[in-house]
Amino acid sequence: MTIRQILIHPDPRLKMVAKPVTTVTDDLCALADDMLQTMYDAPGIGLAAPQIGVLQRVIVMDCVKDPDLPPRPMALFNPEILWASDDLSTYDEGCLSIPEQYAEVDRPAEVRVRWLDRNGAQCEEHFTGLWATCVQHEIDHLNGKLFIDYLKPLKRQMITRKMVKLKRELARG
Ligand code: ZN
């Protein structure tokens, strides 16, 4: 497994729509393993393939926060939202591609999601709480959408300017 470099906003690859996976191959499972390791290393609770520059519909997540509970590393290929609740919940979201910036985003509190697992088997699950927020945030990445796109333009521009500055500093080393 390899820790991959996470793209920082603004980057054109973060604005693109990712392609569906046709077959869950060994290579794609290895990609998901790299993504999980990259996510845990960051650390974060979710990561989408476009964030490491791979434009395929693959996301990983693990929203188990309690250190006494076993981790639940999930890899979802071609995830799609089948149903979303009318009830919304607000969460102070962040993103590994927008480091150290947080803002409140409203999203459906519960969602039903379908995806292919590592064996290519179709799965369905009803997500609530942080899992529901996380899976929606990651699926947004597959559609070229970031959490800051939900914010007012002024706030979004402020965050983008900070990221441009951060990237300039990182490039200088
Ligand atoms: Zn994100």
Side-chain angles (χ1 to χ4, degrees):
M1 280 191 274
T2 318
I3 292 170
R4 306 285 195 103
Q5 196 180 349
I6 299 173
L7 301 179
I8 306 293
H9 164 74
D11 186 295
R13 288 165 285 182
L14 294 172
K15 304 302 285 175
M16 289 164 89
V17 176
K19 284 200 185 73
V21 165
T22 42
T23 322
V24 182
T25 57
D26 289 348
D27 282 352
L28 282 172
C29 290
L31 169 75
D33 286 334
D34 283 357
M35 286 169 61
L36 279 164
Q37 202 185 12
T38 304
M39 177 192 84
Y40 285 125
D41 177 71
I45 58 168
L47 189 71
Q51 290 181 275
I52 57 164
V54 177
L55 291 166
Q56 300 232 56
R57 301 188 81 81
V58 184
I59 65 172
V60 296
M61 54 180 190
D62 183 350
C63 298
V64 177
K65 279 189 143 180
D66 187 341
D68 295 331
L69 292 175
R72 189 189 178 200
M74 294 188 79
L76 291 73
F77 303 89
N78 295 343
E80 45 177 328
I81 294 169
L82 301 175
W83 171 87
S85 64
D86 292 332
D87 270 9
L88 301 179
S89 74
T90 306
Y91 197 84
D92 201 28
E93 292 191 24
C95 179
L96 294 177
S97 293
I98 310 172
E100 284 166 46
Q101 302 297 319
Y102 300 89
E104 287 193 343
V105 177
D106 296 328
R107 296 182 189 270
E110 302 183 18
V111 285
R112 185 152 194 91
V113 179
R114 179 162 67 197
W115 71 94
L116 299 176
D117 71 8
R118 287 170 181 276
N119 304 312
Q122 195 171 287
C123 304
E124 249 185 68
E125 189 166 324
H126 186 102
F127 290 104
T128 61
L130 184 54
W131 287 93
T133 294
C134 185
V135 76
Q136 291 175 79
H137 175 120
E138 300 312 329
I139 291 173
D140 272 354
H141 274 300
L142 304 180
N143 297 320
K145 191 162 184 175
L146 302 171
F147 83 91
I148 55 170
D149 294 330
Y150 293 96
L151 309 179
K152 294 203 173 74
L154 208 64
K155 172 100 184 176
R156 181 165 63 239
Q157 285 155 17
M158 196 184 76
I159 290 176
T160 299
R161 272 201 299 274
K162 280 184 189 166
M163 291 301 105
V164 169
K165 192 162 166 261
L166 171 71
K167 286 178 79 168
R168 213 182 291 142
E169 284 165 6
L170 289 173
R172 256 191 235 122

